Amino acid sequence: MHNIYLDHAAATPLHPEVFDVMVPFMKEHYGNPSSLHSYGRSAKIALDSSRDSIASHLNCSPNEIIFTSGGTESVNLAIMGIIAASKQKPVHVITTQIEHRAVLSTCQQLEDLGHAVTYLPIDKTGLVSIEDLNKAIKPETVLISINYGNNEVGTLQPIEEIGGLAREKGIYFHVDAVQTLGKIMINLLDLPVDLMSFSGHKINGPKGIGLLYVNKKVHILPNIYGGNQERKRRGGTENLAAIVGFSKAIELSVHNVNKNQKILNDLRSLLIEELSKELGHEGFVINGHPIKRLPHILNVSFQQMNKETLLMNFDIEGVAASSGSACTSGSIKDSHVLDAMDISPELKKGAIRFSLGINNTKKEMITAAKKIGTIVNRLRSK
């Protein structure tokens, strides 16, 4: 039985070209970039070259890039780094109710430390209101942190408008772009963004590597101390093999962003079409914004179904999907994203996220839809 992987929003397979560039830095080139001998100098050249390449593809300065252990650390560094560097105490932060747990848990920590956080509501499609945001701003507001593309339903937020408002009010703006990189063109020179988080394993790169873009005009304090790496903003020996791989993954994803966007949109449309054939147009409900969305995420509610039962049956038939973020996959609680969207209890109970990748095929979409349809129809008939 051919397994069909539809959980690319959780993790993507390593691209062969990414693997190839990483291998030498796990075997021959093992020097520490901070060492002064030839091994260290060789490692430092590779580190600098990777940073330069990433900066060119994101259209920013190499000095504006901080390598981290992944998206979660990048988010933590952005939020806590801004707060730590703020001369004003306590401060006020604005985010939304549908952020990734990396943001929400960090904001909870801020509240525990005596700071104030406003969690903006969103509409039934997952969009935040600029009017609500404007009303939430206070004199002590120092940071707005909002996800570019939601990891559960795929809704894209109006980042340009939000950033414009933040600039007008003199407030720092952080964007979690972990799901968006490689799916939509990102030009940091044009975007009104002060900090932006990225991760390697969402774009066919390695796990355990991410980065934080910090505009050169922005000052943050580190979360991790112990060395002068990353211009004293993140201590610790650099994960060179992963950084080299991340650089290659960004190069491939940015160069092919338009092509990949079309591939993913076509696959998503085909999956919807085939599910409609199997279950009828009334047999499922699509959650999220119909137009302002990421191309690779399809969140579907199957009425009269239980997501745990569905996922177990899908897995038995070789279809890998999820009920939401991989960071909360061990939980049987309803999605906080769907809660905030005011989705009915019945639809929340049967909500499944299918997330597609560039390795998926049209044949897989047809096969997956048939298996999903068979399972749903069987369970409904009981």
Side-chain angles (χ1 to χ4, degrees):
M1 179 175 65
H2 173 65
N3 291 332
I4 302 173
Y5 185 73
L6 302 179
D7 198 20
H8 290 83
T12 55
L14 198 66
H15 194 289
E17 291 185 46
V18 172
F19 176 78
D20 288 344
V21 300
M22 290 177 67
V23 171
F25 293 91
M26 293 185 283
K27 295 175 67 176
E28 296 97 9
H29 305 302
Y30 44 80
N32 189 318
S34 296
S35 297
L36 297 179
H37 48 60
S38 61
Y39 294 89
R41 293 196 301 273
S42 176
K44 184 67 164 58
I45 290 171
L47 177 64
D48 290 344
S49 176
S50 296
R51 197 187 308 273
D52 290 344
S53 175
I54 292 172
S56 70
H57 289 107
L58 297 180
N59 206 2
C60 66
S61 166
N63 293 337
E64 295 176 315
I65 290 173
I66 302 175
F67 288 116
T68 66
S69 63
T72 295
E73 186 195 337
S74 175
V75 165
N76 274 258
L77 178 56
I79 296 174
M80 301 303 283
I82 285 290
I83 304 308
S86 176
K87 296 178 181 178
Q88 179 181 318
K89 299 289 192 308
V91 300
H92 176 237
V93 173
I94 300 174
T95 187
T96 79
Q97 296 175 2
I98 63 168
E99 297 303 305
H100 189 277
R101 289 297 178 188
V103 171
L104 295 179
S105 296
T106 305
C107 286
Q108 179 61 60
Q109 177 66 11
L110 287 180
E111 291 184 283
D112 292 344
L113 293 172
H115 302 290
V117 180
T118 295
Y119 300 90
L120 296 173
I122 42 88
D123 67 17
K124 286 184 174 292
T125 68
L127 271 179
V128 70
S129 162
I130 299 296
E131 184 179 350
D132 286 346
L133 173 60
N134 195 25
K135 288 179 180 177
I137 293 174
K138 304 176 181 180
E140 59 270 27
T141 305
V142 300
L143 177 68
I144 298 169
S145 180
I146 292 182
N147 200 325
Y148 201 151
N150 185 263
N151 59 299
E152 289 194 28
V153 298
T155 299
L156 288 167
Q157 301 299 341
I159 295 303
E160 290 85 354
E161 290 181 70
I162 296 171
L165 179 60
R167 290 273 166 92
E168 178 187 322
K169 301 289 186 178
I171 299 168
Y172 292 123
F173 182 34
H174 165 247
V175 174
D176 172 1
V178 166
Q179 288 292 344
T180 313
L181 180 62
K183 310 304 186 299
I184 290 172
M185 184 61 72
I186 293 175
N187 186 334
L188 289 170
L189 187 64
D190 292 340
L191 286 174
V193 171
D194 299 299
L195 308 103
M196 189 173 275
S197 298
F198 303 97
S199 182
H201 70 282
K202 310 296 188 181
I203 57 166
N204 301 100
K207 297 180 181 69
I209 187 66
L211 69 84
L212 176 65
Y213 158 79
V214 182
N215 186 282
K216 57 188 175 184
K217 297 179 182 178
V218 177
H219 174 59
I220 65 170
L221 290 179
N223 285 356
I224 298 175
Y225 295 86
N228 292 330
Q229 294 90 352
E230 301 305 294
R231 298 170 67 85
K232 299 183 179 180
R233 296 173 296 184
R234 199 272 188 182
T237 301
E238 298 88 353
N239 185 354
L240 189 55
I243 288 171
V244 170
F246 192 16
S247 173
K248 186 64 176 180
I250 289 177
E251 174 193 325
L252 293 169
S253 63
V254 171
H255 279 175
N256 297 301
V257 65
N258 293 327
K259 172 186 172 185
N260 291 343
Q261 196 176 79
K262 184 178 186 310
I263 289 172
L264 295 170
N265 270 320
D266 288 348
L267 290 173
R268 185 181 183 276
S269 296
L270 179 59
L271 181 56
I272 293 172
E273 180 184 330
E274 293 299 317
L275 284 174
S276 297
K277 290 180 183 177
E278 298 295 326
L279 298 168
H281 293 291
E282 305 299 321
F284 59 94
V285 174
I286 299 173
N287 302 310
H289 200 284
I291 300 171
K292 299 172 183 177
R293 59 169 180 79
L294 291 166
H296 67 302
I297 292 179
L298 174 64
N299 191 294
V300 173
S301 286
F302 298 98
Q303 301 95 319
Q304 304 169 334
M305 293 284 105
N306 177 282
K307 56 179 173 282
E308 284 79 20
T309 303
L310 285 173
L311 289 173
M312 179 181 68
N313 279 273
F314 292 167
D315 190 43
I316 290 171
E317 289 299 317
V319 178
S322 73
S323 60
S325 172
C327 297
T328 55
S329 60
S331 171
I332 59 172
K333 295 180 182 178
D334 285 336
S335 159
H336 71 284
V337 175
L338 298 183
D339 279 341
M341 291 168 62
D342 198 26
I343 302 298
S344 71
E346 179 192 348
L347 292 180
K348 282 190 293 185
K349 188 178 178 182
I352 301 294
R353 180 188 71 183
F354 302 104
S355 48
L356 315 177
I358 56 174
N359 296 322
N360 285 133
T361 65
K362 292 182 178 180
K363 182 179 179 181
E364 286 181 330
M365 297 304 103
I366 297 170
T367 302
K370 286 181 179 178
K371 291 184 176 185
I372 292 165
T374 300
I375 292 168
V376 171
N377 285 325
R378 184 182 76 236
L379 292 173
R380 281 179 178 162
S381 67
K382 288 186 177 181

